[in-house]
Amino acid sequence: GQNIDQPTEMTATEGAIVQINCTYQTSGFNGLFWYQQHAGEAPTFLSYNVLDGLEEKGRFSSFLSRSKGYSYLLLKELQMKDSASYLCAVRDSNYQLIWGAGTKLIIKP
Amino acid sequence: NAGVTQTPKFRVLKTGQSMTLLCAQDMNHEYMYWYRQDPGMGLRLIHYSVGEGTTAKGEVPDGYNVSRLKKQNFLLGLESAAPSQTSVYFCASSYTTYKRREVYNEQFFGPGTRLTVL
């Protein structure tokens, strides 16, 4: 079967750095996406990795290791508005997205 | 541009009733998707479309039907609603481009429809 694993919930302090991990087992791999979803809202795109390595976009970075079936999302200089769920999704051999259940990130002052 | 819009935003149905959820996008995207999102679970694909007049089943298609008569619209129908269909439904659309010679198609989501079936 196909499986995406993420921690259910994480807590961090405003101004700090947090790393959200995602491991996957899918039938094929054609890219990995990270989305942000605030409570009661739609997911919005954060980052995309298809090759091994780090992709940086402002305060957010995403890393991929295809051989390990592993990715992480790194959030720096945390702000209160970063309190949200972070969804990891892998595109499989059929080019369909398989979604993790999401990690709820709680930011404390 | 409005992006992806969904109607209605909220709905309460009784078991056995039918309804149609409407999704519209103004970005000229080829691909459209219907997902459901339940607590503690990832988004699950119900049906999708790769172009006008085409539809295909996703991971959880039973109890739902779809139609894509126009490129900008994607309709999701529930013929006989059941309590198990209580969920938040998201529509999404995407286009295909290439990033570092790899297929890249970011999905854009609508605001969601919160459906309760009693």
Side-chain angles (χ1 to χ4, degrees):
Chain A
Q2 309 204 88
N3 197 46
I4 310 282
D5 285 321
Q6 307 178 233
T8 302
E9 187 173 298
M10 298 181 70
T11 302
T13 304
E14 189 177 15
I17 299 172
V18 70
Q19 177 175 313
I20 302 174
N21 296 325
C22 171
T23 58
Y24 62 89
Q25 290 178 308
T26 56
S27 57
F29 177 85
N30 285 297
L32 185 144
F33 293 80
W34 283 96
Y35 280 76
Q36 180 189 59
Q37 185 177 25
H38 285 100
E41 298 183 7
T44 55
F45 171 78
L46 282 178
S47 70
Y48 171 71
N49 295 73
V50 65
L51 300 176
D52 290 349
L54 191 68
E55 292 280 345
E56 296 185 88
K57 189 187 290 186
R59 293 189 298 116
F60 292 18
S61 303
S62 57
F63 172 82
L64 173 67
S65 169
R66 288 173 295 172
S67 63
K68 296 182 179 178
Y70 167 71
S71 173
Y72 67 73
L73 180 69
L74 192 71
L75 291 76
K76 302 176 185 177
E77 302 171 9
L78 286 170
Q79 302 175 10
M80 297 303 292
K81 67 178 182 179
D82 297 329
S83 291
S85 289
Y86 292 85
L87 314 180
C88 174
V90 172
R91 190 162 56 210
D92 68 10
S93 56
N94 294 318
Y95 283 86
Q96 297 302 325
L97 282 181
I98 309 300
W99 295 81
T103 298
K104 182 178 181 180
L105 178 63
I106 300 169
I107 309 297
K108 295 186 175 179
Chain B
N1 289 346
V4 181
T5 58
Q6 293 182 230
T7 52
K9 289 186 170 54
F10 302 93
R11 185 71 185 269
V12 178
L13 291 179
K14 294 181 180 178
T15 298
Q17 288 185 317
S18 63
M19 77 164 294
T20 299
L21 283 69
L22 172 63
C23 176
Q25 54 97 1
D26 61 1
M27 297 175 284
N28 201 35
H29 287 173
E30 288 294 328
Y31 301 86
M32 296 187 75
Y33 313 83
W34 275 108
Y35 291 96
R36 59 178 291 172
Q37 187 175 41
D38 301 294
M41 301 181 73
L43 288 160
R44 291 184 292 168
L45 183 64
I46 304 171
H47 287 279
Y48 65 99
S49 168
V50 300
E52 181 178 323
T54 70
T55 63
K57 294 180 180 179
E59 180 187 355
V60 288
D62 293 343
Y64 306 95
N65 57 75
V66 289
S67 64
R68 184 130 181 243
L69 299 179
K70 293 182 179 181
K71 186 177 183 179
Q72 63 268 34
N73 296 336
F74 196 28
L75 279 64
L76 178 71
L78 286 73
E79 293 183 345
S80 179
S84 62
Q85 293 178 305
T86 293
S87 187
V88 179
Y89 291 85
F90 286 102
C91 175
S93 70
S94 71
Y95 64 99
T96 296
T97 186
Y98 294 87
K99 183 175 180 179
R100 298 177 181 170
R101 293 181 293 175
E102 297 285 341
V103 173
Y104 172 79
N105 58 347
E106 168 193 345
Q107 294 188 10
F108 296 81
F109 284 81
T113 295
R114 283 145 186 82
L115 175 66
T116 301
V117 183
L118 302 175

